[in-house]
Amino acid sequence: MRHLLLAAAAASLALPVTAQEPAPIPSPGEIAAAAPASDWIAIAPSDLLVMDLAPDTKGKPRRVVIQLMPAPFSQGWIANIRKLAAAHWWDGTSVNRVQDNYVVQWGDATEKKPLPEALVMVAEDEYVSKSIRNFETVSSVNGRAFMVKKGLKGPPPPPPLDKREDLYTGVVGFAAGFPIAAGPQFEFWPVHCYGMVGVGRNLSPDTGTGAELYTVIGHAPRHLDQNIALVGRVISGIEHLSSLPRGTGPLGFYESEAERVPIASVRIATELPEADQLRFEYLSTESDSFARYADARANRRDPFFIRPAGGADICNIPVPIRAVVK
């Protein structure tokens, strides 16, 4: 009996069985990495613009890859860009402007290089589109359900100004993997997020030909939306542009030829040798994986974060893109 009592007492002093640790909450990147192959969409090589800058001071190559905007957006300018690339027009031009927290711009610094024939002048009303096939709106409803409606034929009317998720328009989302805003008259336009590529122009009614291009390297300049053509986004090599020395002239333009960064070549990827062909995919913005990813961007619950923000700017939900290893 004494031994039984001692055994019982010892058992009462044992540590309680601990509850199983809860599974860690995945980060947005982990959600994207775990997305099934069926949720990733291949980017056609014919939609990739490949820009090779001159090697850096240590002789390392500098390649920038741009995904051109899908139809129906900016197709007049993109047709010009394809003609310019086919003519190898950018070869021997340069990066001429680097403005801190704003843009990097490239083209012909002399403004005297003849343009290829048959470039079109695009009208200003092409900054917006009246027809897209699918549009997924986003909203941080109660800080939880982020993706609210998919495949809309037109945007809902914008909410009152004091209730808008997006102060520039009120309705934002994605179409074919690109960030898009929408207006009350069923018009849609691309959004100036980090890495987006646009067409330099002079004063209205000039809309630019596509020979002068820029990419955003700072806080999203949304005031440019609907005022200038967006034609794509940098999907690889943005560091080769964002890390360049800032220009010291007005608006960040380089003041001497020595400061400019030479462009060795610009090609549509299909023109590259077979051994150099590029393959990229983006996470479908119509997939459940993307809905979970977007919600996680708006409501960070992974261990580092203390309080979920309850919302995210459209430009703080970058669409995941990955290179495909051959």
Side-chain angles (χ1 to χ4, degrees), residues 16 26 46 60-62 67 80 95 135 145 175 209 222 247 249 254 275 295 301:
S46 58
K60 294 183 178 179
R62 293 184 285 187
Q67 179 191 4
N80 284 348
V95 175
F135 177 66
T209 62
R222 294 284 305 282
Y254 290 134
D295 175 70
R301 309 176 189 94

Side-chain angles (χ1 to χ4, degrees), residues 45 48 63 269 272-280 323-326:
L48 297 178
R63 170 165 284 185
L272 299 176
E274 183 63 30
D276 294 336
Q277 286 296 309
L278 305 173
R279 297 289 184 270
F280 290 90
V324 179
V325 179
K326 298 178 183 178

Side-chain angles (χ1 to χ4, degrees), residues 160-174:
L161 185 61
D162 61 346
K163 296 185 182 300
R164 289 186 176 185
E165 297 290 343
D166 180 84
L167 292 180
Y168 285 90
T169 181
V171 180
V172 290
F174 297 90

Side-chain angles (χ1 to χ4, degrees), residues 241-323:
L241 298 172
S242 62
S243 64
L244 292 176
R246 275 36 181 169
T248 56
L251 303 178
F253 278 94
Y254 290 134
E255 297 183 277
S256 68
E257 184 176 354
E259 294 176 284
R260 298 175 189 137
V261 181
I263 294 174
S265 70
V266 176
R267 302 285 186 273
I268 297 295
T270 49
E271 192 178 344
L272 299 176
E274 183 63 30
D276 294 336
Q277 286 296 309
L278 305 173
R279 297 289 184 270
F280 290 90
E281 296 175 330
Y282 72 89
L283 184 61
S284 171
T285 51
E286 299 179 49
S287 67
D288 290 337
S289 294
F290 184 80
R292 292 194 298 273
Y293 164 83
D295 175 70
R297 292 287 302 187
N299 299 284
R300 296 300 296 265
R301 309 176 189 94
D302 37 311
F304 178 82
F305 290 86
I306 301 168
R307 298 181 183 87
D313 181 88
I314 182 67
C315 291
N316 199 33
I317 313 173
V319 175
I321 295 173
R322 66 183 185 184

Side-chain angles (χ1 to χ4, degrees), residues 102-148:
Y102 201 47
V103 300
V104 172
Q105 189 166 325
W106 61 92
D108 174 30
T110 69
E111 298 183 342
K112 296 179 181 178
K113 188 171 185 177
L115 293 169
E117 295 182 3
L119 295 188
V120 300
M121 296 305 297
V122 188
E124 290 179 342
D125 59 10
E126 293 297 313
Y127 292 148
V128 302
S129 175
K130 290 285 187 178
S131 174
I132 63 175
R133 286 185 297 176
N134 285 306
F135 177 66
E136 302 87 45
T137 61
V138 296
S139 178
S140 55
V141 178
N142 298 323
R144 300 289 294 182
F146 200 80
M147 191 70 65
V148 292

